[in-house]
Amino acid sequence: MEKANTQNIPSPIGENKQRIDARDKVTGAAIYADDFQFGNSLLHARIKRSPHPHALIKKIDTTKARALPGVKAIVTGEDFPGYIGLYLQDRFIFCRERVRYVGDPVAGVAAISEEIAQKALDMIEVECEILEPVLDPEFGVSPKAPLIHPDLGQYVVASFILPKPGTNISNHFKIRKGDVDSAWEKCAAIVERKYRIPHIQHVPIEPHVAIAKVDESGGVTLWGSSQSPFAQRNLIAQSMGISQSDMRVIAPIVGGGFGSKAGVSMEALAVAIATKVKGRPVKLLLTREEEFFTAFVRQGLVAYFKMGCDEKGRLLAVENRFYWDAGAYTEYGVNITRASGYSSSGPYEVPNVKTDSYCVYTNHPVGGPMRGFGMPEMHAGLEQCIDELALQIGMDAVAFRKLNCLKTGSILVTGSKMHPTGLPQCVEIVAEAIGWGKKSPPSAPHKRRGKGLALMWKAPAMPPNAGSSAWVELAEDGTLNVGVGGQEIGQGVFTVAAQMAAAALGVPYESVRIATPIDTRYSPYEWQTVASRLTWSMGNAIVRAAKDARRQILEVVAEAWEETIEDLDIVNGVVISFKSEKEIPLKNLVIYGLPKPGDQGWRGGPVIGRSNFMPTYVTGLDPETGQGERAVVHYTTGAQAVELEVDLDTGRIEILKGVSAFDVGKAINPEMVKAQMEGGFVQGMSSALFEILQLKGGVVQNPSFVDYRIATSADIPKDLQAYIVEVAQDDGPWGARGIGEHSMVPTIPAIANAIYDAVGVRFEGPPFTAEKVYLAMQDAGLIE
């Protein structure tokens, strides 16, 4: 199916002025999209950033920079005293008194060119007192660690986040289910392991970019590459003390996000600078180097697992400790910590569970949401422990998982019951597709072949009242315009939105248009494009809005034809009657209505349907036990299996085959669902084999694609299979639930388990680089 049609306003956003839109006929000078939109009024911003991971700001002198010709504004933290943050308001727009990571924004400059702005940055003098940094989350929770946020107890925080003032712990989530301590003596086998998962970057092809303009009356317009235009409107307005109605965010289609463009990262900087040059737009574009460490990164994790089972393989107890390296500010990290806690049993029914999940401030780059939202990191170790436990008791790893995996009605780690799920089918599908239990010969004498498998589960990690809304409007020719607030970031949500609107109203898909770009002044509200929730949440709002329009249409026709609504239907854009066999195209009635007999007036009029959706049933959890009636809206479950070869001469791993099966409730667009499974597998494979932010003393050592390796098309396995399982979600549109993030979750442990099957070595954490694998085989005596 083709991508949905969209009504597009040209974006004012270029990429570092690399794309030339035209050339001056006389001079041949490059003309860019920004110039078309804003002309010579556009100013360019650059940010003075901290070179220190932790320091007190003693003095900022901007005198020389202000005197530089072409500089129009310079701002510092003194200009903006308000805090900002989603779940935890723990940072200023520009630093005040203290810097907390290398890259922390200290001052901003707007000038007539990027070159002048950069020169002005070099002229700003900042005097600092260096402080001891916290560079490890386990050290961060100790009493010896210096406090990174001494004012933690004064921050505004969501009710379900539990910070510990006087420490570096911004959230401590607990699970206490059953009696773990007494369960260990009943276990026939116990596995205890430690894993360390590194920071990685989202590396979207389009870097972060924003243009802000403040008019003379104080109204703010922000154009940004954003997954969260409505959240940005709210958070920036709150921080700067302006009305949300005076803050407008326009978000064109995003050139890659993966979570990095959720919430607020650099966008508030552009708005803050623009307040000092009213009437002139200010553009801030992160360089690729800045993208690596000044926007969100995926948090690091140090995880301890202990799990045990009886002699028949039944899981009896799990005890976990998670230390999340959340970085300098944890507005998003606190909820990742919570999500890993209420999912800490993995997709298994375990009667006794004890979990302590800590969100820890460190002086590393800011941890934020990334595809999977903590689940790839948590599952990376857990699913390896499952394999090891099965091996200890001499049980097949697939049989062990089938015995223990969640089924409909299973009691979850939070005490609630599992909704209908197709996880057991997913396990069977991937095991059969990978040829589980059948040993394949290697392709060469110096290679070893192995197979591995892993399961997953993930819930949308969001507040209990995250809402969606939508409107539909019919035009004179019968086309359907659909207004949504969710963002297209390459996942195909506009296509699915059009499909659902068409099906619910009864019009051809080709006649649907999605109103874009997302504009908080005109688009209906959407919490954020995160958590793999749009097909389910926004989809419900779209379906309800379309049904609202359908009801209006059928009421008018029923009255005109003197029939009941039950006699009528809308098929391919035509209202038909089963009773009288009359029919009328929508274009003949949805704007001007229908005439009454005898020239006695008209009935009907322009048709606009509207609706919303918000879950009302998510309950709180006990802060000491993590137990509650319903912690989340639902879980998507699935499984992956891989077959790979390890080269004994080099340690290089080649993925030969990847298989995925996920229960998506209902696949609204099966081909796009499969594409999500395939894309998630490749991104998960990339994080397993290649990706790591090399941090030394708080400084990222590899902030470029020269030294930061990601998977390319050459690394993708030639055999990549995706299978759809459909066990309907009770409140999803046509039973659908999300699949965007989930396919990245089990890939690391599936590959790790396959490596062990091939050469018998395990690692403390990814990436499983050729060098690391070769040295591990050498240490294990497999090679000389």
Side-chain angles (χ1 to χ4, degrees), residues 83 88-90 100 149-157 361:
Y83 285 98
L88 174 66
Q89 295 179 19
D90 64 352
R100 295 178 170 90
H149 286 264
D151 297 328
L152 176 58
Q154 301 174 30
Y155 294 159
V156 175
V157 62
Y361 283 121

Side-chain angles (χ1 to χ4, degrees), residues 272-533:
I273 297 170
T275 63
K276 304 301 181 182
V277 285
K278 289 185 177 180
R280 301 197 65 171
V282 175
K283 178 181 178 180
L284 176 61
L285 170 64
L286 296 189
T287 65
R288 178 56 65 183
E289 182 176 355
E290 287 177 312
E291 187 74 27
F292 270 96
F293 63 93
T294 69
F296 287 135
V297 302
R298 192 176 81 176
Q299 298 184 148
L301 172 65
V302 178
Y304 292 86
F305 293 95
K306 181 179 181 181
M307 57 178 61
C309 66
D310 63 21
E311 66 280 357
K312 296 182 179 179
R314 180 73 66 178
L315 283 168
L316 296 181
V318 169
E319 184 172 348
N320 306 321
R321 280 180 291 131
F322 302 146
Y323 298 97
W324 291 93
D325 188 339
Y329 306 101
T330 64
E331 59 160 319
Y332 246 115
V334 289
N335 201 36
I336 297 172
T337 299
R338 185 174 189 268
S340 66
Y342 62 60
S343 305
S344 57
S345 64
Y348 302 100
E349 184 169 9
V350 188
N352 305 287
V353 182
K354 178 182 179 181
T355 298
D356 290 282
S357 186
Y358 300 95
C359 187
V360 187
Y361 283 121
T362 67
N363 295 114
H364 280 150
V366 179
M370 184 174 175
R371 191 176 194 175
F373 208 72
M375 296 302 101
E377 303 94 289
M378 190 271 287
H379 281 74
L382 187 145
E383 279 295 299
Q384 292 187 69
C385 290
I386 291 291
D387 253 36
E388 290 197 66
L389 202 54
L391 182 64
Q392 268 201 35
I393 62 166
M395 191 171 181
D396 176 74
V398 169
F400 188 94
R401 287 178 167 87
K402 290 170 68 174
L403 174 67
N404 289 287
C405 76
L406 294 170
K407 289 110 180 156
T408 302
S410 293
I411 304 301
L412 304 182
V413 64
T414 55
S416 57
K417 287 187 177 181
M418 184 64 181
H419 56 74
T421 178
L423 181 58
Q425 296 97 298
C426 293
V427 181
E428 293 177 0
I429 288 169
V430 299
E432 181 178 354
I434 206 69
W436 191 261
K438 301 174 184 177
K439 198 71 174 177
S440 303
S443 61
H446 65 284
K447 295 184 177 182
R448 297 291 181 268
R449 187 171 290 205
K451 298 176 181 179
L453 182 143
L455 311 190
M456 65 73 61
W457 70 332
K458 183 191 179 300
M462 62 187 198
N465 59 341
S468 300
S469 57
W471 54 255
V472 301
E473 179 182 26
L474 286 112
E476 289 87 345
D477 61 356
T479 56
L480 181 67
N481 297 313
V482 180
V484 295
Q487 182 62 289
E488 178 62 64
I489 57 174
Q491 82 282 43
V493 70
F494 286 173
T495 300
V496 170
Q499 285 184 264
M500 291 192 287
L505 182 60
V507 300
Y509 166 82
E510 291 75 16
S511 69
V512 179
R513 306 289 185 270
I514 304 298
T516 63
I518 305 303
D519 184 334
T520 58
R521 180 172 291 177
Y522 303 113
S523 301
Y525 175 83
E526 182 61 57
W527 178 60
Q528 294 187 85
T529 301
V530 297
S532 303
R533 54 181 286 280

Side-chain angles (χ1 to χ4, degrees), residues 42-305:
L42 182 69
L43 298 177
H44 299 269
R46 297 298 297 146
I47 306 300
K48 182 79 170 181
R49 300 183 180 278
S50 170
H52 311 296
H54 198 195
L56 295 178
I57 300 173
K58 309 303 290 185
K59 181 182 178 182
I60 302 177
D61 188 347
T62 63
T63 306
K64 295 178 183 177
R66 291 183 189 276
L68 183 67
V71 171
K72 299 301 180 181
I74 297 179
V75 300
T76 68
E78 292 302 311
D79 300 301
F80 305 101
Y83 285 98
I84 192 168
L86 184 64
Y87 297 104
L88 174 66
Q89 295 179 19
D90 64 352
R91 63 186 170 102
F92 298 110
I93 295 176
F94 285 94
C95 296
R96 293 166 58 90
E97 301 178 357
R98 183 187 296 248
V99 295
R100 295 178 170 90
Y101 75 101
V102 174
D104 223 350
V106 175
V109 174
I112 60 174
S113 71
E114 283 191 79
E115 293 76 14
I116 293 175
Q118 184 61 51
K119 187 174 181 180
L121 290 189
D122 298 336
M123 299 171 72
I124 296 174
E125 298 175 0
V126 182
E127 182 181 329
C128 290
E129 177 186 330
I130 306 301
L131 300 175
E132 179 188 359
V134 175
L135 304 175
D136 179 85
E138 288 187 276
F139 173 66
V141 301
S142 71
K144 296 180 180 179
L147 290 183
I148 298 174
H149 286 264
D151 297 328
L152 176 58
Q154 301 174 30
Y155 294 159
V156 175
V157 62
S159 60
F160 49 85
I161 302 301
L162 305 170
K164 302 296 180 185
T167 74
N168 287 319
I169 300 170
S170 56
N171 189 27
H172 179 192
F173 183 86
K174 302 176 184 178
I175 288 289
R176 302 292 187 268
K177 176 189 177 187
D179 186 353
V180 170
D181 293 336
S182 65
W184 298 122
E185 63 185 23
K186 302 172 186 176
C187 293
I190 296 174
V191 168
E192 291 188 71
R193 294 290 181 267
K194 174 186 177 182
Y195 295 94
R196 185 177 291 271
I197 313 300
H199 298 78
I200 64 173
Q201 232 294 324
H202 310 69
V203 290
I205 296 301
E206 175 201 38
H208 281 70
V209 59
I211 298 176
K213 182 179 179 181
V214 180
D215 61 34
E216 294 298 333
S217 65
V220 178
T221 302
L222 171 66
W223 294 265
S225 179
S226 172
Q227 296 178 226
S228 309
F230 289 92
Q232 288 180 351
R233 176 185 69 176
N234 182 42
L235 297 175
I236 295 173
Q238 280 184 349
S239 178
M240 301 187 68
I242 62 177
S243 169
Q244 283 84 348
S245 64
D246 290 329
M247 176 84 196
R248 179 186 182 189
V249 180
I250 301 173
I253 292 174
V254 175
F258 311 110
S260 70
K261 293 172 183 173
V264 178
S265 56
M266 51 74 79
E267 298 79 12
L269 301 174
V271 175
I273 297 170
T275 63
K276 304 301 181 182
V277 285
K278 289 185 177 180
R280 301 197 65 171
V282 175
K283 178 181 178 180
L284 176 61
L285 170 64
L286 296 189
T287 65
R288 178 56 65 183
E289 182 176 355
E290 287 177 312
E291 187 74 27
F292 270 96
F293 63 93
T294 69
F296 287 135
V297 302
R298 192 176 81 176
Q299 298 184 148
L301 172 65
V302 178
Y304 292 86
F305 293 95

Side-chain angles (χ1 to χ4, degrees), residues 633-646:
V633 292
H634 59 251
Y635 282 95
T636 294
T637 58
Q640 279 181 347
V642 299
E643 184 173 18
L644 54 75
E645 280 189 335
V646 180

Side-chain angles (χ1 to χ4, degrees), residues 558 561-569 576-582:
W561 292 353
E562 297 182 344
E563 301 184 24
T564 67
I565 289 178
E566 288 72 25
D567 296 327
L568 307 176
D569 198 2
I576 62 173
S577 169
F578 300 116
K579 181 179 179 181
S580 63
E581 298 187 358
K582 293 180 180 180

Side-chain angles (χ1 to χ4, degrees), residues 51-53 102 135 293 363-365 694-702:
H52 311 296
V102 174
L135 304 175
F293 63 93
N363 295 114
H364 280 150
Q694 300 283 359
L695 284 157
K696 183 177 181 181
V699 180
V700 175
Q701 304 295 304
N702 56 335

Side-chain angles (χ1 to χ4, degrees), residues 549-632:
R550 177 187 176 89
R551 174 190 56 78
Q552 296 174 46
I553 294 166
L554 295 183
E555 284 178 351
V556 170
V557 176
E559 182 183 351
W561 292 353
E562 297 182 344
E563 301 184 24
T564 67
I565 289 178
E566 288 72 25
D567 296 327
L568 307 176
D569 198 2
I570 303 176
V571 180
N572 289 325
V574 178
V575 181
I576 62 173
S577 169
F578 300 116
K579 181 179 179 181
S580 63
E581 298 187 358
K582 293 180 180 180
E583 62 180 47
I584 182 173
L586 291 179
K587 65 181 181 180
N588 292 357
L589 69 104
V590 293
I591 294 295
Y592 303 112
L594 294 174
K596 295 180 180 179
D599 199 22
Q600 296 301 302
W602 292 75
R603 57 172 60 88
V607 175
I608 301 177
R610 65 165 182 84
S611 194
N612 61 18
F613 174 78
M614 184 182 77
T616 59
Y617 43 75
V618 177
T619 62
L621 300 177
D622 185 285
E624 293 302 318
T625 66
Q627 302 300 290
E629 185 177 344
R630 187 164 180 176
V632 299

